[in-house]
Amino acid sequence: MRCNRLGSTGLIVSELCLGTMTFGVTNGRFGAIAGLDLGASTALVKQALDAGINFIDTANIYSEGKSEEITGQALRDLGIRRSDVVIATKAMGPMGAGPNDAGMARVHLMDQIDASLARLGMDHIDLYQIHGWDPQTPIEETLRALDDIVRSGRARYVGVSNWAAWQIMKALGISERLGLERFASLQAYYTVAGRDLEREIVPMLASEGVGLMVWSPLAGGLLSGKYTRAGEGEGRRASFDFPPVERERAFDLVDAMQAIAAARGATVAQVALAWLLYQPVVSTVIVGAKRADQLADNIGACAVELTADELARLDALSALPREYPGWMFELQGSYRAQAVSPRRVPG
């Protein structure tokens, strides 16, 4: 298990992160994904830690808070030192029926950080993330609240999830101007079959030193190897078809990854995860599971070494259609590139 810095911070995290959306039982939005009790969840936590994973991601809305409770209890039952694990959680989603029971407002974040700490049974969270975009709350209000949370010691770093590039850049600019805690990371959807964030978000992350935490790296199971043109296997996509994926592109990639996997005794899922691990902007890839064999297969991706030719083949099959202003950047950038002499290389 390799480790990376989380963006430009000094926080070191494993290249795989254990996601806990499967922890707890719920009839809500994540009912098709959740379902594990404390015992089954604890077994997965132990398996992950034994494999070298030091990073666990949860959220207050997962199973209406039960995921956080189980995560904290599992670590205590396993006797894990708090300093040996990096804990991330999120807030923004609805935690009640009231108008202030959701969002990025100060009132909600201050309530939810304390509620999450109580459920986890911890005195601090390593990475506290805004789970989405709230158009009703000014970014400055959110950033001031997060800064207060960090200064109070209740969180060490702050991050964001599911924001656009312009929103993150605006937040980074406000943080710099006001001397507030800046976002260390973005949690976003990214797969070899869904490379949309490469248009604007990936260049922004690389430019600003913000780390990328990948969620749903197998596109909700579509890249697990169970789904092909010949027939779609049973899985959570049968009842929870998310995230949206262009099927033909995905199946072209599955065909190619099947060949790559067969050549090295790996699985399609491992090849799909390995492709992400080669992307420079990725700090960690979040993997979730309901069974030990699923988690073991995901962890096995760390041992899959792809060749330059294999990466180029997958990149070609998954390349985004050219779009303005990207093609204009290429055209106009070539004029300037011709004015620069090649770098000297050792003889």
Side-chain angles (χ1 to χ4, degrees), residues 189-191 194 215-222 236-237 240-247:
Y189 168 66
Y190 188 30
T191 70
W215 62 259
S216 200
L218 297 179
L222 192 63
R236 84 183 196 202
R237 275 207 170 255
F240 191 63
D241 193 16
F242 182 83
V245 178
E246 203 282 298
R247 286 294 208 273

Side-chain angles (χ1 to χ4, degrees), residues 125-288:
I125 289 162
D126 296 294
L127 178 66
Y128 196 51
Q129 304 159 97
I130 302 298
H131 209 164
W133 175 252
D134 172 12
Q136 304 305 320
T137 303
I139 295 178
E140 183 175 318
E141 177 180 339
T142 300
L143 295 175
R144 287 189 182 277
L146 292 174
D147 188 70
D148 288 344
I149 287 170
V150 171
R151 291 177 186 275
S152 72
R154 287 176 284 181
R156 300 294 192 251
Y157 301 90
V158 295
V160 68
S161 180
N162 302 319
W163 279 26
W166 73 264
Q167 293 165 335
I168 297 173
M169 278 303 304
K170 184 173 181 178
L172 293 175
I174 292 172
S175 294
E176 182 175 358
R177 176 168 57 86
L178 300 179
L180 303 175
E181 190 73 18
R182 77 193 300 270
F183 289 141
S185 61
L186 166 70
Q187 190 171 143
Y189 168 66
Y190 188 30
T191 70
V192 67
R195 298 171 60 182
D196 304 61
L197 81 171
E198 291 182 3
R199 295 200 188 279
E200 298 281 352
I201 294 176
V202 165
M204 179 275 298
L205 298 177
S207 169
E208 304 306 313
V210 177
L212 178 61
M213 299 171 61
V214 176
W215 62 259
S216 200
L218 297 179
L222 192 63
L223 303 180
S224 65
K226 296 185 297 185
Y227 300 86
T228 65
R229 283 192 181 85
E232 299 199 1
E234 295 181 359
R236 84 183 196 202
R237 275 207 170 255
S239 57
F240 191 63
D241 193 16
F242 182 83
V245 178
E246 203 282 298
R247 286 294 208 273
E248 286 306 305
R249 174 183 293 182
F251 290 147
D252 285 344
L253 285 160
V254 169
D255 290 343
M257 291 189 292
Q258 283 178 332
I260 293 171
R264 50 178 38 80
T267 65
V268 170
Q270 289 173 342
V271 174
L273 291 171
W275 181 88
L276 283 168
L277 298 179
Y278 276 91
Q279 307 312 306
V281 76
V282 172
S283 291
T284 191
V285 175
I286 302 171
V287 295

Side-chain angles (χ1 to χ4, degrees), residues 94-116:
M95 293 299 288
N100 292 310
D101 289 331
M104 306 187 323
R106 170 180 288 273
V107 62
H108 184 64
L109 295 181
M110 289 301 188
D111 287 344
Q112 289 306 308
I113 183 68
D114 291 335
S116 287

